[in-house]
Amino acid sequence: MSLFQEVLGKIENKQAVVGIVGLGYVGLPLAVEIAHAGYKTIGFDVQDKKVEMVNQGVNYIGDVVNAELEALVKSGKLSATSDFSFIRDVDCVAICVPTPLDQYQQPDISYVKGSTEEVAKHLHKGMMVVLESTTYPGTTEELLLPILESTGLQCGKDFYLAFSPERVDPGNQQYKTKNTPKVVGGVGEESTKVAAALYRNVLEGGVHEVSSPAVAEMEKLLENTYRNINIGLANEMAIICNRMGINIWEVIDAAKTKPYGFQAFYPGPGLGGHCIPLDPFYLTWKAREYDYHTRLIETSGEINTAMPEYVVDRAMKILNHQKKAMNGAKVLVLGVAYKADIDDYRESPALEVMEHLQKQGAEASFFDPHISEYRHKGKGYTGLAELTEQALREADIVIICTAHAAVDYEFVQKHANAVFDTRNATRNVADKAKIELL
């Protein structure tokens, strides 16, 4: 029996031990699904608190069911450790670590590099390594492959290597890790087949195999660049519509009645989350290596990045109409999560809105039913414990930055002096007095 057949057999019979490096928004849900499918699963993370919580069966990710995590830990199917030497006991390992941008908007792949070096220390014959972290095209073959082959083992002969982009959408009630289709591209056909076999045995969304890791890496960037550009278009249309006295939300509702050729994207105070604001920069950075300037991508990025300041400028004009100045005004921001009904504030535009308000001399506060406090640029901020009538009345203006379903917008409109709604959260409020839309 060949090594390839032996590894496939281990995966099919669920005898393979699976390791997940990075137990965040991507890694923990994946670890839970793999363990739930019947594989012994070990999670690796440098943060001792996460490791401790997993081993206690305590969940810290919104898309993970508490009882399911607890049951998997108690059954022995799932455990966590900060000791990377246990990778020696793993047959398949998925790397799910952050890939942020540095201060120059260039990819920071130090977490990927460090994780791969840890895996390389314990790489053994028959191991399958798959990278899920979003990155620029070429990372798997240009960075991971040389590190792993520096051990003397050869990809395709002794071990297998692939890229399969994560597609986590926090808070999505329809598509989660379990039922979202996977894309897999390996270094060689056998690597693709091995990685695809594991995902097919675990997930229900199906697996689409592509010819190389670079195709899979570029595919993920296309997904989120597509959204980035179309949101940029929606934001620019919102600015134009405001100047022309046209309701952009009504325009979009009308446009999406067309059954083909149009997909609705919505404006807002800017982009947030771990993917859409960041991923296009991986592509623009890599494109420079090929002497190409990504004009459309960068233009949409400029529009989206400018939205928090635009929101504050609009709020300033609303106050001016009431003969009030932004300097010294009390401003209440509703929602600091980057999207509705989640507790994730990574890259949230609301944080930039808060910062711009403070720069203009406003006395800014926030309320978010899912987030009681946050940190931004080294500083900590604590929100209101409750959205009260008094808090609304005391604010000169309320800016809705996140459309959380848990907020009573009829109550907000009734007691606020002025409401600037950047998300159309008040669309079902009967009395539109005091409300201005983005």
Side-chain angles (χ1 to χ4, degrees):
M1 181 185 294
S2 69
L3 180 66
F4 174 62
Q5 291 171 323
E6 184 182 328
V7 173
L8 280 181
K10 255 187 166 182
I11 291 172
E12 292 299 333
N13 296 329
K14 300 187 177 179
Q15 295 173 338
V17 178
V18 182
I20 305 295
V21 179
L23 295 174
Y25 286 86
V26 176
L28 184 60
L30 180 62
V32 167
E33 292 299 343
I34 291 173
H36 190 261
Y39 294 91
K40 181 180 178 182
T41 307
I42 305 173
F44 297 86
D45 203 285
V46 295
Q47 296 184 36
D48 291 330
K49 178 139 181 90
K50 285 184 178 179
V51 169
E52 183 182 338
M53 290 179 75
V54 169
N55 287 331
Q56 291 175 350
V58 178
N59 176 42
Y60 50 87
I61 299 293
D63 287 346
V64 172
V65 178
N66 295 346
E68 187 175 9
L69 174 64
E70 186 178 5
L72 290 170
V73 171
K74 285 183 177 178
S75 71
K77 281 295 181 185
L78 178 60
S79 62
T81 181
S82 56
D83 184 352
F84 281 75
S85 69
F86 285 101
I87 288 176
R88 65 177 180 266
D89 301 326
V90 166
D91 300 294
C92 307
V93 58
I95 298 173
C96 308
V97 295
T99 48
L101 298 173
D102 65 18
Q103 59 181 325
Y104 304 109
Q105 300 296 294
Q106 295 181 349
D108 176 3
I109 53 172
S110 59
Y111 299 105
V112 171
K113 183 174 183 289
S115 298
T116 307
E117 288 170 344
E118 288 296 329
V119 171
K121 291 177 185 176
H122 310 284
L123 187 68
H124 56 76
K125 205 161 186 176
M127 182 181 277
M128 187 271 285
V129 180
V130 63
L131 176 64
E132 288 214 2
S133 306
T134 304
T135 183
Y136 58 84
T139 302
T140 304
E141 292 166 286
E142 295 169 10
L143 178 68
L144 274 70
L145 183 60
I147 292 173
L148 296 173
E149 288 196 331
S150 70
T151 61
L153 298 176
Q154 293 181 21
C155 184
K157 178 184 175 184
D158 303 308
F159 70 92
Y160 303 99
L161 175 62
F163 181 80
S164 181
E166 59 88 1
R167 285 172 154 179
V168 172
D169 183 18
N172 192 315
Q173 297 304 306
Q174 182 177 2
Y175 291 106
K176 299 186 179 295
T177 300
K178 181 79 170 176
N179 64 340
T180 300
K182 286 291 276 178
V183 172
V184 176
V187 180
E189 186 177 353
E190 289 190 350
S191 288
T192 303
K193 297 297 181 188
V194 169
L198 176 64
Y199 288 121
R200 286 196 177 101
N201 260 21
V202 171
L203 308 177
E204 297 175 349
V207 176
H208 180 81
E209 298 177 17
V210 295
S211 60
S212 69
V215 171
E217 289 160 342
M218 182 65 90
E219 176 279 324
K220 175 59 188 292
L221 297 186
L222 174 59
E223 286 180 28
N224 287 333
T225 301
Y226 169 80
R227 293 176 68 186
N228 185 300
I229 288 173
N230 280 281
I231 292 169
L233 173 62
N235 282 329
E236 189 162 64
M237 290 293 290
I239 294 169
I240 296 169
C241 283
N242 174 251
R243 294 193 178 190
M244 299 176 71
I246 299 171
N247 184 327
I248 180 61
W249 307 95
E250 188 178 356
V251 170
I252 295 171
D253 283 345
K256 71 181 184 182
T257 61
K258 187 177 182 180
Y260 58 91
F262 181 83
Q263 181 181 355
F265 287 84
Y266 298 93
L271 290 181
H274 65 297
C275 284
I276 302 177
L278 308 181
D279 294 1
F281 286 101
Y282 302 137
L283 187 53
T284 58
W285 178 82
K286 188 66 176 178
R288 294 190 202 114
E289 185 180 320
Y290 296 87
D291 195 28
Y292 187 79
H293 185 63
T294 52
R295 292 162 292 176
L296 184 60
I297 297 173
E298 292 181 34
T299 298
S300 64
E302 289 172 7
I303 294 168
N304 293 330
T305 300
M307 287 307 292
E309 189 170 4
Y310 172 76
V311 165
V312 174
D313 287 343
R314 283 280 303 277
M316 196 181 304
K317 289 177 180 177
I318 295 170
L319 288 173
N320 284 344
H321 292 154
Q322 300 175 11
K323 297 183 179 180
K324 294 178 181 177
M326 179 64 79
N327 192 345
K330 290 186 177 180
V331 182
L332 175 58
V333 172
L334 288 189
V336 293
Y338 81 83
K339 63 183 289 190
D341 305 326
I342 65 171
D343 62 358
D344 189 350
Y345 61 82
R346 287 177 295 172
E347 307 297 328
S348 174
L351 311 189
E352 296 294 328
V353 169
M354 288 282 288
E355 185 178 350
H356 283 296
L357 287 169
Q358 290 164 347
K359 285 180 180 178
Q360 293 296 331
E363 187 180 321
S365 60
F366 79 90
F367 171 77
D368 190 306
H370 302 283
I371 299 170
S372 59
E373 56 185 15
Y374 70 85
R375 293 193 66 81
H376 181 57
K377 297 183 178 179
K379 294 182 180 180
Y381 301 86
T382 302
L384 302 179
E386 187 180 356
L387 185 61
T388 63
E389 177 181 337
Q390 181 180 354
L392 291 167
R393 289 193 183 280
E394 287 181 353
D396 294 300
I397 186 170
V398 175
I399 303 177
I400 301 173
C401 283
T402 314
H404 289 308
V407 175
D408 183 346
Y409 295 105
E410 294 273 4
F411 178 78
V412 172
Q413 187 278 338
K414 181 179 179 182
H415 299 295
N417 292 297
V419 178
F420 181 30
D421 183 359
T422 71
R423 297 288 192 181
N424 201 24
T426 57
R427 59 189 171 277
N428 295 322
V429 174
D431 186 355
K432 302 296 184 183
K434 301 185 289 186
I435 297 175
E436 182 166 328
L437 297 175
L438 181 66

